[in-house]
Amino acid sequence: MEKPNVLIIGAGGVAQVTAHKVAQHAAEFGAIHMANRTQAKADAIVDSIRDKGTAAGLTITTHALDAMDADKVAALIRETGAKIVINVGTAFINKTVLKGCIAAGAAYIDTAIHEDPDKICETPPWYGNHEWPMRGDVEAAGITAILGAGFDPGVVNAYARLAEDEYFDEITSIDIVDINAGNHGRWFATNFDPEINFREFTGTVYSWQGGAWRENEMFEIGREWDLPVVGKQTAYLAGHDEVHSLSARYPQSDVRFWMGFGAHYINVFTVLKNLGLLSEQPVKTAEGLEVVPLKVVKAVLPDPASLAADYTGKTCIGDLVKGTRDGVEGEVFIYNVADHKEAYTEVGSQGISYTAGVPPVAAAILIARGVWDVKRMVNVEDLPARPFLELLGEMGLPTRVIDANGDRPI
Amino acid sequence: MEKPNVLIIGAGGVAQVTAHKVAQHAAEFGAIHMANRTQAKADAIVDSIRDKGTAAGLTITTHALDAMDADKVAALIRETGAKIVINVGTAFINKTVLKGCIAAGAAYIDTAIHEDPDKICETPPWYGNHEWPMRGDVEAAGITAILGAGFDPGVVNAYARLAEDEYFDEITSIDIVDINAGNHGRWFATNFDPEINFREFTGTVYSWQGGAWRENEMFEIGREWDLPVVGKQTAYLAGHDEVHSLSARYPQSDVRFWMGFGAHYINVFTVLKNLGLLSEQPVKTAEGLEVVPLKVVKAVLPDPASLAADYTGKTCIGDLVKGTRDGVEGEVFIYNVADHKEAYTEVGSQGISYTAGVPPVAAAILIARGVWDVKRMVNVEDLPARPFLELLGEMGLPTRVIDANGDRPI
């Protein structure tokens, strides 16, 4: 069978990891293409791949693309003959890229829910406002669309599915915990696009508990966790994409997402939020200039990609899943530990970008191999987890599990 | 002698106080005019004066004026026949307004040093970079120009002069202390234009000590003060306009300015400064929009004028002056206490605007009466202090003194 051409959209920190990983696994694909609003950023990533020596004899073609225009996306898919599109651009482009894939007949992979620039923390289930209504179009077009195939959402959804497949008859709770115990050495920085980062936390925190959506404020509910490698860490109940899909597959289970924050992050966030500087709504300066405060905050903060060289320490992201098997209650913690320095050495990115950028490549490989080429729209938990997690283990993101039998690889 | 027409430029919180006070003392002046970039703001102030019933039978004429254009300023001075211009607009317009006064032959009063939008905390003496080089032009034009005639700079300069005239043969140190022990009830707000407020504190702190300029960082040096009415308060060595002129008249004396700040202000300031959000230099958003971060911070913060209605508590601003008389060392604290609520009741403004907006009207009255009409450029300490301070006592800003003989009115 002919290897599928692949088109990567985006050229930020996550896209850099994705491009490096596609290059490392070039044998799985046909021609490789990258497109971004600013083509020079894609060119810089291609240069960084050449510097690693991965791409000897490999051609990666870059393109300038306005991905907010579905017709232009479709045209580029046709021009490049891409059969798989990996969307690792901003979450604002999901719908137009997906429409382009439907029109031109290419598989679609993304790593986050679509966002409208003027809305934050939309009402649940958020996927129902954007992607899920396009299920019929995806099926009619006969393409595969895998939503939220980063780490969280993505790998953590597969962890839940692994618990369903291998550990429990019934799942009663899924607590996803995301701890970054790394140190970037800056006074303050976000680990990915500040605009997207802050938008996650400025609105209502939705969790799925007792069969219903529950609303909280950010930093209202904190809990101390004691996790492998990173140790004791405080994480706070937060809204996150995967809660919106896992609650649909596991409606009888509680689904919560916990994000670790230090006191310094919380202080900076609180100051910016209370002043109105995290607002996605435009304000007018005394001189009459209309500007979105959050975009100015993004402009003054360090580019997350620039943190990579100095980043040390580790991340731990996992699912604490509780459930019953043969009527007996039990729990399992399924997790990955990633290292910022190792990520930088391998692909020139920090650990947060690494954990987000590798999984969509694994998904693309599974589509290319036919394992995940399901010809419909799915979230990651709708697909068999083990092939994905085993492939990720080979690709640098091994999965471990802690249960009554100890701490071991899956 | 004919009463001089007066032109007030500006329509912010300070200008509101100035306009109310000019209206209260309309018998000292001829026709009263107000000009502002946005004329509607001046109209609103005139309405607030009518609401107080001060202006029965009084005409205050408003004008739209681009005060950054000296020719337009001169034209308006000629059109209105103004003999005294009170500049209580932003510090960015000082030079063009002064040039307009020189060209059209009107006395000039302001309350702060000129600022260039793209420079902060200029090298000392800051007056030497802008106003002082125009001394010859002022003298040639035969006009009076009184610089820095607000509270600080302004009244505190007169306090130093009073100490020179009535307490000491030689002054050895002048420590100006500015404490606002009021409460506006907002999560965070600045008491005057946030842009000017923050610009004061983002650069080098210059003080005059041991006959030389000394440089510190903001919040580097703090000291606890125990002051009348407001009690024990921590104030920090800060840069301020009056240090730049008092050091010229009292070169043998140390001249320091101390501003009171609570931990909350310092935290917000530190977050904004360290992120780069207080920068006066433009940044470019991801969308390509050029914007000055500080102007966006100003846009999201409460309008200082809006704080007035809910403001409670008092301010204490004074000079601790040390020196010798007949060879004996001594010290005196000369000060004013103002009340936010009383200021609001009288003129619809909070106390900080009140203390800044009343003194330039006293200066204008002293020019009108010929007492301060010196036909040259001066700072407030270059003029006899007692007439000014006594007039201010009648106008709502009484001066008190604490020395070995106790705490009493001057």
Side-chain angles (χ1 to χ4, degrees):
Chain A
M1 199 181 99
E2 203 185 348
K3 303 287 185 188
N5 292 356
V6 63
L7 169 63
I8 302 162
I9 298 181
V14 174
Q16 164 143 345
V17 176
T18 296
H20 273 261
K21 280 293 177 185
V22 166
Q24 286 177 17
H25 296 267
E28 305 276 353
F29 304 106
I32 303 171
H33 295 266
M34 279 197 87
N36 192 53
R37 183 172 51 184
T38 308
Q39 190 175 352
K41 284 192 176 178
D43 290 335
I45 290 175
V46 172
D47 288 346
S48 81
I49 293 171
R50 290 198 199 294
D51 290 346
K52 290 285 174 195
T54 320
L58 189 68
T59 303
I60 302 177
T61 312
T62 67
H63 308 263
L65 172 65
D66 174 8
M68 301 286 273
D69 184 331
D71 291 339
K72 289 180 179 161
V73 174
L76 184 62
I77 292 170
R78 291 191 188 100
E79 180 193 327
T80 58
K83 291 294 165 204
I84 301 174
V85 172
I86 307 178
N87 170 18
V88 278
T90 163
F92 302 141
I93 65 172
N94 286 14
K95 272 159 86 171
T96 44
V97 174
L98 179 51
K99 280 179 188 165
C101 287
I102 290 168
Y108 172 87
I109 301 166
D110 67 27
T111 67
I113 310 179
H114 180 83
E115 297 196 28
D116 268 353
D118 60 348
K119 291 184 193 157
I120 55 161
C121 301
E122 291 187 42
T123 49
W126 192 337
Y127 279 112
N129 304 335
H130 298 293
E131 284 89 349
W132 288 351
M134 296 164 75
R135 275 175 178 156
D137 295 337
V138 165
E139 200 149 356
I143 64 163
T144 296
I146 303 178
L147 305 181
F151 205 99
D152 44 339
V155 177
V156 298
N157 304 51
Y159 290 168
R161 175 64 185 263
L162 189 76
E164 174 195 340
D165 288 349
E166 306 188 4
Y167 293 87
F168 300 114
D169 303 326
E170 181 153 4
I171 292 174
T172 53
S173 70
I174 303 167
D175 285 287
I176 300 150
V177 190
D178 180 332
I179 300 291
N180 174 19
N183 179 12
H184 50 57
R186 306 296 182 91
W187 192 80
F188 184 85
T190 57
N191 294 303
F192 55 97
D193 184 345
E195 190 174 3
I196 301 297
N197 178 276
F198 286 126
R199 285 169 60 99
E200 277 187 13
F201 306 129
T202 47
T204 304
V205 169
Y206 289 106
S207 60
W208 179 257
Q209 300 190 66
W213 290 104
R214 184 161 151 182
E215 301 184 14
N216 289 94
E217 294 283 301
M218 191 64 207
F219 302 120
E220 182 185 338
I221 299 179
R223 186 189 291 183
E224 195 183 69
W225 299 80
D226 192 358
L227 301 181
V229 183
V230 299
K232 286 191 179 173
Q233 300 279 351
T234 302
Y236 296 83
L237 192 69
H240 228 237
D241 309 32
E242 54 271 39
V243 178
H244 296 262
S245 65
L246 288 169
S247 58
R249 186 173 180 89
Y250 306 104
Q252 81 295 348
S253 167
D254 291 342
V255 183
R256 288 170 290 249
F257 177 84
W258 305 84
M259 177 76 92
F261 293 96
H264 179 59
Y265 181 101
I266 295 173
N267 180 49
V268 170
F269 175 88
T270 302
V271 167
L272 295 178
K273 176 163 187 273
N274 284 354
L275 295 186
L277 285 166
L278 300 185
S279 174
E280 78 287 359
Q281 302 294 336
V283 297
K284 199 178 264 190
T285 70
E287 293 74 21
L289 188 67
E290 272 220 346
V291 54
V292 173
L294 180 53
K295 291 184 182 295
V296 180
V297 171
K298 172 176 173 170
V300 299
L301 287 182
D303 176 355
S306 74
L307 306 174
D310 303 317
Y311 225 129
T312 57
K314 294 178 192 289
T315 65
C316 177
I317 313 175
D319 293 15
L320 177 65
V321 184
K322 297 185 183 181
T324 56
R325 181 167 219 170
D326 302 327
V328 181
E329 290 185 3
E331 67 177 61
V332 58
F333 185 64
I334 308 171
Y335 71 99
N336 166 263
V337 169
D339 183 278
H340 289 289
K341 204 83 219 155
E342 287 174 13
Y344 184 69
T345 304
E346 185 192 331
V347 299
S349 300
Q350 33 99 339
I352 307 291
S353 303
Y354 191 86
T355 57
V358 173
V361 182
I365 291 171
L366 291 180
I367 292 174
R369 292 178 183 173
V371 181
W372 269 16
D373 195 15
V374 293
K375 307 292 183 197
R376 59 194 171 94
M377 178 185 286
V378 289
N379 289 82
V380 170
E381 63 270 32
D382 300 320
L383 297 165
R386 190 160 271 280
F388 184 51
L389 298 178
E390 287 181 352
L391 178 54
L392 283 171
E394 296 165 20
M395 293 175 73
L397 291 174
T399 302
R400 296 182 64 87
V401 62
I402 303 176
D403 63 6
N405 299 318
D407 183 346
R408 61 193 188 282
I410 55 160
Chain B
M1 199 181 99
E2 203 186 348
K3 304 287 184 188
N5 293 355
V6 62
L7 169 62
I8 301 163
I9 298 180
V14 174
Q16 163 144 343
V17 176
T18 296
H20 272 261
K21 280 293 177 185
V22 165
Q24 286 177 17
H25 296 268
E28 305 276 352
F29 304 107
I32 302 171
H33 295 267
M34 278 196 88
N36 193 53
R37 184 172 51 185
T38 308
Q39 190 174 351
K41 284 192 176 180
D43 290 335
I45 289 175
V46 171
D47 288 345
S48 81
I49 293 171
R50 292 200 196 293
D51 290 344
K52 290 284 173 196
T54 320
L58 189 69
T59 301
I60 302 176
T61 311
T62 67
H63 308 264
L65 172 66
D66 174 7
M68 301 287 273
D69 184 331
D71 292 337
K72 289 181 180 160
V73 173
L76 185 61
I77 291 171
R78 292 192 187 100
E79 179 193 326
T80 58
K83 292 295 168 203
I84 301 174
V85 172
I86 306 178
N87 170 18
V88 278
T90 160
F92 302 142
I93 65 172
N94 285 16
K95 272 160 86 169
T96 45
V97 174
L98 179 52
K99 280 180 187 165
C101 287
I102 290 168
Y108 172 85
I109 301 166
D110 67 27
T111 67
I113 310 180
H114 180 82
E115 297 197 29
D116 269 354
D118 61 347
K119 290 182 192 157
I120 53 158
C121 302
E122 292 188 42
T123 50
W126 192 336
Y127 279 113
N129 304 334
H130 299 293
E131 285 89 350
W132 288 351
M134 295 164 76
R135 274 176 178 156
D137 296 337
V138 166
E139 200 149 357
I143 64 162
T144 297
I146 303 178
L147 305 181
F151 205 100
D152 45 339
V155 177
V156 298
N157 303 52
Y159 289 167
R161 176 63 186 264
L162 190 76
E164 175 195 341
D165 289 349
E166 305 188 5
Y167 293 88
F168 300 114
D169 304 327
E170 182 155 5
I171 291 175
T172 54
S173 69
I174 302 166
D175 284 288
I176 301 151
V177 191
D178 181 330
I179 300 290
N180 174 19
N183 179 12
H184 50 57
R186 306 296 182 90
W187 192 80
F188 183 84
T190 57
N191 294 301
F192 56 97
D193 185 345
E195 190 175 5
I196 301 298
N197 178 276
F198 285 126
R199 286 169 60 99
E200 277 187 13
F201 307 128
T202 48
T204 303
V205 169
Y206 290 106
S207 60
W208 179 256
Q209 301 190 67
W213 289 104
R214 185 162 150 183
E215 301 183 15
N216 289 95
E217 295 283 303
M218 191 64 208
F219 302 119
E220 182 184 339
I221 299 180
R223 186 190 289 183
E224 194 184 67
W225 299 80
D226 192 358
L227 300 180
V229 185
V230 299
K232 287 191 179 173
Q233 300 279 349
T234 302
Y236 296 83
L237 193 68
H240 227 237
D241 309 34
E242 53 271 38
V243 178
H244 296 262
S245 65
L246 288 169
S247 58
R249 186 174 179 89
Y250 306 104
Q252 82 295 347
S253 168
D254 290 342
V255 184
R256 289 170 289 250
F257 177 85
W258 304 84
M259 178 75 93
F261 293 97
H264 179 60
Y265 181 102
I266 295 173
N267 180 48
V268 170
F269 175 88
T270 302
V271 167
L272 295 178
K273 176 162 188 272
N274 284 354
L275 295 186
L277 285 166
L278 300 185
S279 175
E280 77 288 359
Q281 302 294 335
V283 296
K284 198 177 264 189
T285 69
E287 292 74 21
L289 189 66
E290 272 219 350
V291 55
V292 173
L294 180 52
K295 291 184 182 294
V296 179
V297 171
K298 172 175 172 169
V300 299
L301 286 181
D303 177 355
S306 74
L307 307 174
D310 304 316
Y311 225 126
T312 57
K314 293 177 193 289
T315 65
C316 177
I317 313 176
D319 293 17
L320 177 65
V321 184
K322 297 184 182 182
T324 56
R325 179 168 222 171
D326 303 328
V328 180
E329 290 185 1
E331 66 176 61
V332 58
F333 185 64
I334 308 172
Y335 71 99
N336 166 263
V337 169
D339 184 278
H340 288 289
K341 204 83 218 158
E342 287 174 13
Y344 184 69
T345 304
E346 185 191 332
V347 299
S349 301
Q350 33 99 340
I352 307 290
S353 302
Y354 190 85
T355 57
V358 174
V361 182
I365 292 172
L366 292 179
I367 292 175
R369 292 179 183 173
V371 180
W372 269 15
D373 194 15
V374 293
K375 307 292 185 199
R376 59 194 171 91
M377 177 185 286
V378 290
N379 288 82
V380 170
E381 62 271 32
D382 299 321
L383 297 165
R386 190 161 272 280
F388 184 51
L389 297 179
E390 287 181 351
L391 178 55
L392 283 171
E394 297 165 19
M395 294 176 71
L397 291 174
T399 302
R400 296 182 65 87
V401 62
I402 302 176
D403 62 7
N405 298 318
D407 184 346
R408 61 193 189 282
I410 56 161

